[in-house]
Amino acid sequence: MTITIIGSGYVGTTFAAILSNCGYKVYALDINPKIIESLKNKKAHFFEVGLNDFVKKGIESGNLIPTTSYKDSIANSDVVFSCVGTPDNPDGSSNLTYVFDSALEAAKYAKEGLIYVQKSTVPVGTGKRVLEKVKKANPNLLIHYISNPEFLREGSAVFDTFLTDRVVVGGEHKQSIKTVLDIHKKVSEYATKIDFSLYEEFANVFSDKIQNIDEKIKDIKYLSTSLESAELIKVTANAFLALKISFANSVAKLAQKFDADVNEVMDGVGSDARIGRSFLYAGLGWGGGCFPKDVSGLISLFEQNNIQNPIMDAAVSENHSMAAYLIGLMENELGSLKNKKIAILGLAFKSGTSDCRRSPSINLANELIKKGAVVSAFDPKANSEAMEYIDSEVKVKDSAEDLLKNIDSVVIATEWPEFKEYDWKNLLGEISTKTIFDARNILDKQKLQKIGYKYVGIGK
Ligand code: UGA
């Protein structure tokens, strides 16, 4: 079976690399020649834990074929996965230009009976619109349209591709649904046969999670649904997770007032199997390329259909409040931030990725500049991607060593595990106010207090 993956972002590149390692012939198609050039050189154009080893093997085996040509790839393909970007419009609605354009371009070269699978996150109803457009432009072409939303997370994209909670496939054509489900089953089966010791970067981070993977994959749920249900599952899942985080953040503010510890609170709350512990970690709020745009897309869909949904508006405003909340805590401790030398550890929107889109850390850095602070920052992986979004007054440093010198205070803004390993005892002398703001609640409060720090977390 030959497969084309349109769009070589996080989802497309990861899926293409892994499918090619499973034995499929896979075209990774992108209109950006730089991205394709990078893949030909056996590297993704972004950092994602462990991914490059799979890209390298895919290219070397000849199964992974990066290309900018729709004609060369689509004309030879039995299945196409569309993994293109769906940014938001200024009014918050989803911009579907790439979704429509790529489907129309692919249809020009499609074989009769092509299975066209939408993995991009799109509003409910998009599949029907794609099909209408394709039919209008190519009245005699028969393609089977399937919605197969992606649930992988950046930072664990490879792992999530092997082992997910569920695979959702929606559409009308039973055989196409089966084909797409079978592709996913083959990916998980392949994961049970990998010698992970050959994938050092991946194994270092995911060693615990890949233990007994052959047992764990038995728990994957394979759901076949209607086209519209599949589309709605994806955005609803992202919105609900965002809601959980915003809820945890608002409870954190209350916990802080009463000297409770939000982590302890959420350990207790999340132990209820009906609630679950994940995505109840308080911090600077949610960012990235997915939650903000998917939540705003869902809100505008509710609005367009005259359905009241104030709960998501509240989640967004709670999220927006987090930078100001932290700055308030900083002013309580440090007084005016004007001319205060503040170091920010972490610029990526979360750990494990170099992605800085809508990063809460960068937002914080930019807000601190507005307050007149002298801001410097360092991220282990995201320094260069941060440049696109960060205020030019922020001094981005090449190393943590460089950053944590002669400063007034430091903020942990992204939850990179290595920040826990720093020699905080020795660094104390470099921090004039001895105050550390742990905006991701990753450090040990008692330990830091013991060595002389004033520790301030979010809700602890
Ligand atoms: C999210 C979903 O988790 C994936 O299932 C989905 O496939 C993906 O969007 C997508 O639509 O493509 P991702 O954006 O990679 O994945 O990141 P998450 O791990 O979900 O984190 C999102 C944000 O929430 C980050 O800023 C993170 O720091 C924050 N977060 C997460 C918290 O503040 N607290 C938590 O407890 C969890």
Side-chain angles (χ1 to χ4, degrees):
M1 185 184 292
T2 300
I3 296 173
T4 290
I5 313 276
I6 310 179
S8 298
Y10 288 89
V11 171
T13 305
T14 307
F15 201 48
I18 289 174
L19 286 182
S20 70
N21 278 260
C22 287
Y24 293 108
K25 181 175 172 187
V26 183
Y27 289 97
L29 167 63
D30 201 290
I31 50 173
N32 184 335
K34 278 195 186 142
I35 289 177
I36 292 307
E37 215 32 56
S38 171
L39 282 177
K40 284 184 179 164
N41 290 323
K42 306 176 196 173
K43 278 199 169 92
H45 67 285
F46 52 87
F47 171 73
E48 177 64 42
V49 182
L51 177 60
N52 280 340
D53 285 331
F54 291 94
V55 171
K56 183 167 180 276
K57 271 195 84 178
I59 299 280
E60 286 173 358
S61 70
N63 277 349
L64 180 59
I65 308 160
T67 180
T68 52
S69 164
Y70 272 80
K71 190 168 181 232
D72 295 351
S73 52
I74 305 285
N76 290 314
S77 292
D78 310 292
V79 182
V80 170
F81 286 90
S82 162
C83 303
V84 298
T86 50
D88 44 357
N89 288 314
D91 68 356
S93 62
S94 305
N95 181 333
L96 298 174
T97 310
Y98 300 127
V99 169
F100 295 138
D101 288 356
S102 52
L104 286 169
E105 192 60 20
K108 287 185 192 163
Y109 308 103
K111 285 200 262 191
E112 191 70 5
L114 174 79
I115 303 176
Y116 194 84
V117 191
Q118 194 61 256
K119 263 200 182 294
S120 309
T121 303
V122 292
V124 57
T126 302
K128 281 225 168 94
R129 292 176 66 197
V130 171
L131 268 177
E132 274 164 22
K133 285 179 190 284
V134 167
K135 271 257 152 306
K136 202 169 162 201
N138 313 268
N140 298 319
L141 175 70
L142 171 74
I143 64 164
H144 301 298
Y145 186 93
I146 296 290
S147 167
N148 170 218
E150 180 54 63
F151 299 105
L152 66 75
R153 295 156 295 177
E154 291 176 30
S156 58
V158 173
F159 176 78
D160 291 348
T161 303
F162 291 143
L163 187 62
T164 172
D165 291 332
R166 76 303 207 187
V167 174
V168 174
V169 181
E172 283 176 5
H173 190 249
K174 295 262 175 319
Q175 185 53 45
S176 301
I177 290 178
K178 184 176 178 309
T179 302
V180 177
L181 287 171
D182 285 347
I183 291 171
H184 284 275
K185 286 177 187 166
K186 190 163 170 182
V187 168
S188 294
E189 270 165 39
Y190 158 71
T192 65
K193 297 185 188 115
I194 299 177
D195 176 359
F196 283 109
S197 64
L198 301 174
Y199 298 85
E200 207 182 328
E201 186 181 70
F202 180 79
N204 280 344
V205 177
F206 292 99
S207 57
D208 287 351
K209 292 190 167 177
I210 52 186
Q211 297 288 328
N212 302 326
I213 193 161
D214 29 357
E215 281 305 308
K216 291 177 185 162
I217 67 159
K218 290 181 190 152
D219 293 333
I220 298 175
K221 292 189 179 70
Y222 293 94
L223 309 176
S224 120
T225 69
S226 74
L227 177 57
E228 287 73 17
S229 296
E231 290 174 335
L232 200 50
I233 285 168
K234 170 63 196 263
V235 271
T236 309
N238 272 3
F240 190 75
L241 292 169
L243 198 62
K244 271 185 105 175
I245 301 166
S246 282
F247 184 69
N249 281 335
S250 59
V251 173
K253 293 174 185 168
L254 194 62
Q256 201 133 24
K257 283 245 183 281
F258 287 89
D259 285 331
D261 177 334
V262 70
N263 278 351
E264 289 178 358
V265 175
M266 291 307 164
D267 284 346
V269 171
S271 300
D272 185 329
R274 293 170 301 175
I275 298 171
R277 179 64 177 92
S278 59
F279 283 70
L280 287 176
Y281 291 91
L284 266 185
W286 35 274
C290 304
F291 282 6
K293 78 169 173 61
D294 291 353
V295 168
S296 71
L298 189 63
I299 289 174
S300 75
L301 213 55
F302 276 110
E303 280 167 6
Q304 285 159 24
N305 290 281
N306 295 319
I307 300 168
Q308 297 285 316
N309 182 42
I311 196 167
M312 287 320 302
D313 292 325
V316 171
S317 66
E318 180 57 36
N319 199 45
H320 285 158
S321 77
M322 293 316 292
Y325 177 70
L326 179 68
I327 288 173
L329 295 176
M330 294 174 78
E331 286 171 336
N332 280 348
E333 297 299 331
L334 311 176
S336 163
L337 298 177
K338 199 164 168 51
N339 295 326
K340 290 270 170 8
K341 287 177 270 173
I342 310 290
I344 296 190
L345 272 171
L347 291 169
F349 83 98
K350 65 172 189 177
S351 63
T353 176
S354 56
D355 195 347
C356 288
R357 286 174 293 171
R358 297 196 176 152
S359 167
S361 328
I362 292 183
N363 179 40
L364 174 73
N366 295 348
E367 291 300 317
L368 285 169
I369 289 288
K370 288 187 201 150
K371 288 274 175 185
V374 179
V375 184
S376 51
F378 163 74
D379 188 285
K381 294 286 179 201
N383 273 357
S384 61
E385 284 184 41
M387 294 307 180
E388 196 179 326
Y389 312 98
I390 204 160
D391 192 302
S392 57
E393 281 189 39
V394 178
K395 295 180 201 73
V396 177
K397 304 281 185 167
D398 289 337
S399 68
E401 214 182 12
D402 240 19
L403 178 80
L404 300 171
K405 249 187 209 148
N406 183 26
I407 49 174
D408 293 319
S409 186
V410 55
V411 182
I412 313 282
T414 307
E415 67 282 16
W416 286 102
E418 64 189 80
F419 298 160
K420 292 189 235 175
E421 311 305 326
Y422 288 176
D423 185 353
W424 289 107
K425 196 171 177 184
N426 263 334
L427 289 167
L428 188 65
E430 298 289 342
I431 305 171
S432 73
T433 65
K434 316 286 179 219
T435 308
I436 188 163
F437 295 90
D438 182 6
R440 292 290 174 182
N441 293 345
I442 59 166
L443 301 181
D444 187 327
K445 179 177 177 177
Q446 273 78 32
K447 223 164 144 184
L448 284 163
Q449 284 175 333
K450 224 166 149 186
I451 56 178
Y453 279 93
K454 168 91 190 173
Y455 172 99
V456 183
I458 300 280
K460 61 180 283 198

